[in-house]
Amino acid sequence: MSNVAPEGPPAAEATAAELQSEQLVETVHVGPVAVLSMVYRPHNLLGPKLTGAIVDAVQGAVASGSRAIVLRSGLRNFCAGADVTQFSRSAQEQEQTTLGPVAFLEFMETLPVPVVASVHGACLGGGFELALIADYVIAAASAKIGSVEIALGLHPLMGGIQRQVQRAGILRAKELSMLGRRYDAATLERWNLINLVVEDEDLESATMTVAQELANGPTVAHAATKRLAWIAANEGVVAADLAMEDLQKPIWASEDLKAGLRSFRKNGPGLAVFEGR
């Protein structure tokens, strides 16, 4: 899971057949963690092609029993922005090939397993929006991150503004989108847009430590936590309170809760081994 993969020929020089057969997201299983590496050359430009590949890879990981997912890049940059060629396609054409932006965001944010975004290099525009839909964002100290769509006469098109408002507040969200600057990871950690910043050489190990901890936790409870947090963020605390009892029912029936209670009685807190059921 190195931060930089060898660069191949630029996408502009690739033949149509090569692009058609290209695997855009590579999956490696490390115990209960599925590591998904985006390799859409040259810079993982985000559009229906890449989001469709991410959905396929995520669905495969969940179906295989993975209990946490790492979303990272196998190229020099995490994601350098939008694939501007998509702007010439009609909304109807895009809907026929992949989930629309809102459906993609909801799909990722409501997955029953935790998602960790591991960011290095450039994480700009749509790449920043992609990172924001993860449950935990960890970034290399040298990463450059920002909502730079203003350079094209746009603003974030995939829900980035409202998610920045949720996390950093309205003033910072407007600053990010209206000035279009690139920020260092430490600044965005202070603004509550990133969970953790580490030295570049520690990104891989730190990412896997967090992902393994999440994957070895009580998966049923994690799913309920994610859903409850999503409802609270999008519909408010009252809606979350009303949904809480039903969302907690699977926890009470889970094998993980039984294992946790047995371990607590026998060994005290913090020593339970969960199976994710």
Side-chain angles (χ1 to χ4, degrees), residues 36-227:
L36 310 186
S37 297
M38 300 178 290
V39 287
Y40 185 22
R41 298 182 186 278
H43 303 301
N44 290 325
L45 297 182
L46 194 66
K49 191 172 182 180
L50 182 54
T51 58
I54 292 171
V55 169
D56 289 343
V58 166
Q59 288 177 328
V62 173
S64 71
S66 296
R67 294 166 60 190
I69 292 171
V70 170
L71 183 62
R72 65 178 299 277
S73 169
L75 305 179
R76 183 177 293 115
N77 297 307
F78 179 78
C79 173
D83 180 359
V84 296
T85 62
Q86 70 176 304
F87 299 153
S88 63
R89 303 174 62 201
S90 69
Q92 184 177 8
E93 288 177 319
Q94 293 186 31
E95 288 174 359
Q96 290 173 350
T97 58
T98 188
L99 293 176
V102 174
F104 174 70
L105 294 175
E106 185 169 347
F107 167 79
M108 292 295 292
E109 290 176 333
T110 59
L111 285 171
V113 298
V115 178
V116 178
S118 183
V119 176
H120 71 270
C123 178
L124 304 173
F128 190 14
E129 294 179 287
L130 181 61
L132 286 174
I133 61 178
D135 302 299
Y136 193 100
V137 184
I138 181 170
S142 67
K144 295 302 179 184
I145 305 167
S147 295
V148 297
E149 290 89 344
I150 196 70
L152 297 176
L154 294 169
H155 72 186
L157 300 173
M158 286 184 52
I161 297 169
Q162 46 269 45
R163 283 158 181 80
Q164 291 163 6
V165 170
Q166 283 179 341
R167 293 159 176 77
I170 188 170
L171 289 179
R172 292 301 189 191
K174 288 190 290 187
E175 174 184 338
L176 285 159
S177 294
M178 296 172 73
L179 293 180
R181 294 171 177 168
R182 301 183 184 198
Y183 296 86
D184 60 81
T187 295
L188 298 189
E189 182 185 30
R190 290 197 303 272
W191 292 359
N192 204 37
L193 292 162
I194 291 174
N195 293 87
L196 180 65
V197 178
V198 298
E199 295 301 319
D200 290 27
E201 61 270 21
D202 297 328
L203 181 61
E204 178 182 340
S205 60
T207 296
M208 292 309 297
T209 295
V210 171
Q212 292 283 4
E213 184 175 350
L214 290 168
N216 288 315
T219 306
V220 177
H222 285 342
T225 297
K226 287 191 57 170
R227 189 68 191 183

